[in-house]
Coordinates of all heavy atoms in Angstrom, one line a residue:
F253 N 13.6 -22.3 233.4 CA 13.0 -22.8 234.7 C 14.1 -23.1 235.7 O 14.1 -22.7 236.9 CB 12.1 -23.9 234.5 CG 11.5 -24.5 235.7 CD1 10.5 -23.8 236.4 CD2 11.9 -25.7 236.3 CE1 9.9 -24.3 237.6 CE2 11.4 -26.2 237.4 CZ 10.4 -25.5 238.1
I254 N 15.1 -23.9 235.2 CA 16.2 -24.3 236.1 C 17.0 -23.1 236.5 O 17.4 -22.9 237.6 CB 17.1 -25.3 235.3 CG1 16.3 -26.6 235.1 CG2 18.3 -25.6 236.1 CD1 17.0 -27.6 234.2
W255 N 17.3 -22.2 235.5 CA 18.0 -21.0 235.8 C 17.4 -20.1 236.8 O 18.1 -19.6 237.7 CB 18.3 -20.2 234.5 CG 19.4 -20.8 233.7 CD1 20.1 -22.0 233.9 CD2 19.9 -20.3 232.5 NE1 21.0 -22.2 232.9 CE2 20.9 -21.2 232.0 CE3 19.7 -19.1 231.7 CZ2 21.7 -21.0 230.8 CZ3 20.4 -18.9 230.5 CH2 21.4 -19.8 230.1
N256 N 16.1 -20.0 236.8 CA 15.4 -19.1 237.7 C 15.4 -19.7 239.1 O 15.5 -18.9 240.1 CB 13.9 -18.9 237.2 CG 13.8 -17.9 236.1 OD1 14.6 -17.0 236.0 ND2 12.9 -18.1 235.2
I257 N 15.4 -21.0 239.2 CA 15.5 -21.7 240.5 C 16.9 -21.3 241.1 O 17.0 -21.0 242.3 CB 15.3 -23.2 240.4 CG1 13.8 -23.5 240.1 CG2 15.7 -23.9 241.7 CD1 13.5 -24.9 239.9
R258 N 17.9 -21.5 240.3 CA 19.3 -21.2 240.8 C 19.4 -19.7 241.1 O 20.1 -19.4 242.1 CB 20.3 -21.6 239.7 CG 20.6 -23.1 239.6 CD 21.8 -23.3 238.7 NE 22.2 -24.7 238.8 CZ 23.2 -25.2 238.0 NH1 23.8 -24.4 237.2 NH2 23.5 -26.5 238.1
K259 N 18.8 -18.9 240.3 CA 19.0 -17.4 240.6 C 18.4 -17.1 241.9 O 18.9 -16.4 242.7 CB 18.3 -16.6 239.5 CG 18.3 -15.1 239.7 CD 17.7 -14.4 238.5 CE 17.7 -13.0 238.7 NZ 17.0 -12.2 237.6
N260 N 17.2 -17.6 242.2 CA 16.5 -17.3 243.5 C 17.3 -17.9 244.6 O 17.4 -17.3 245.7 CB 15.1 -17.9 243.5 CG 14.2 -17.2 242.5 OD1 14.3 -16.0 242.2 ND2 13.2 -17.9 242.0
Y261 N 17.9 -19.0 244.4 CA 18.7 -19.7 245.5 C 20.0 -18.9 245.7 O 20.4 -18.7 246.9 CB 19.0 -21.2 245.0 CG 19.8 -22.0 246.0 CD1 19.2 -22.4 247.2 CD2 21.1 -22.3 245.8 CE1 19.9 -23.2 248.1 CE2 21.8 -23.2 246.7 CZ 21.2 -23.6 247.8 OH 21.9 -24.3 248.7
N262 N 20.6 -18.6 244.7 CA 22.0 -17.9 244.8 C 21.9 -16.4 245.2 O 22.8 -15.9 245.8 CB 22.8 -18.1 243.5 CG 23.1 -19.5 243.2 OD1 23.1 -20.4 244.1 ND2 23.4 -19.8 241.9
S263 N 20.8 -15.8 244.8 CA 20.8 -14.3 245.0 C 20.7 -13.9 246.5 O 20.9 -12.7 246.8 CB 19.6 -13.7 244.2 OG 18.4 -14.3 244.7
N264 N 20.4 -14.8 247.3 CA 20.3 -14.5 248.8 C 21.6 -14.7 249.5 O 21.6 -14.6 250.7 CB 19.2 -15.4 249.4 CG 17.8 -15.0 248.9 OD1 17.5 -13.8 248.7 ND2 17.0 -16.0 248.5
V265 N 22.6 -15.0 248.8 CA 23.9 -15.3 249.4 C 24.8 -14.0 249.3 O 25.3 -13.7 248.3 CB 24.7 -16.4 248.8 CG1 26.0 -16.7 249.5 CG2 23.8 -17.7 248.8
I327 N 24.9 -15.8 237.8 CA 24.2 -16.2 239.0 C 23.2 -17.3 238.7 O 22.8 -18.1 239.6 CB 23.5 -15.0 239.7 CG1 23.1 -15.4 241.2 CG2 22.4 -14.5 238.9 CD1 22.8 -14.3 242.0
M328 N 22.7 -17.4 237.5 CA 21.7 -18.4 237.1 C 22.3 -19.8 236.8 O 21.7 -20.8 236.8 CB 20.9 -17.9 235.9 CG 20.1 -16.7 236.2 SD 19.1 -16.1 234.7 CE 20.4 -15.6 233.6
R336 N 28.6 -19.8 248.4 CA 28.4 -20.2 249.8 C 29.8 -20.5 250.4 O 30.0 -20.2 251.6 CB 27.5 -21.3 250.0 CG 26.0 -20.8 249.9 CD 25.0 -22.0 249.9 NE 23.7 -21.4 250.0 CZ 23.0 -20.8 249.1 NH1 23.6 -20.6 247.9 NH2 21.8 -20.3 249.3
Y349 N 24.8 -9.4 244.2 CA 25.2 -9.4 242.8 C 24.7 -8.3 242.0 O 25.2 -7.9 240.9 CB 24.7 -10.8 242.2 CG 23.2 -10.8 241.9 CD1 22.8 -10.7 240.5 CD2 22.2 -11.0 242.8 CE1 21.5 -10.8 240.2 CE2 20.9 -11.0 242.5 CZ 20.5 -10.9 241.2 OH 19.2 -11.0 240.8

Side-chain angles (χ1 to χ4, degrees):
F253 176 75
I254 295 172
W255 282 5
N256 283 327
I257 290 176
R258 279 190 174 178
K259 180 179 178 180
N260 291 332
Y261 181 70
N262 294 339
S263 61
N264 293 317
V265 183
I327 195 164
M328 298 181 290
R336 278 171 171 74
Y349 81 103

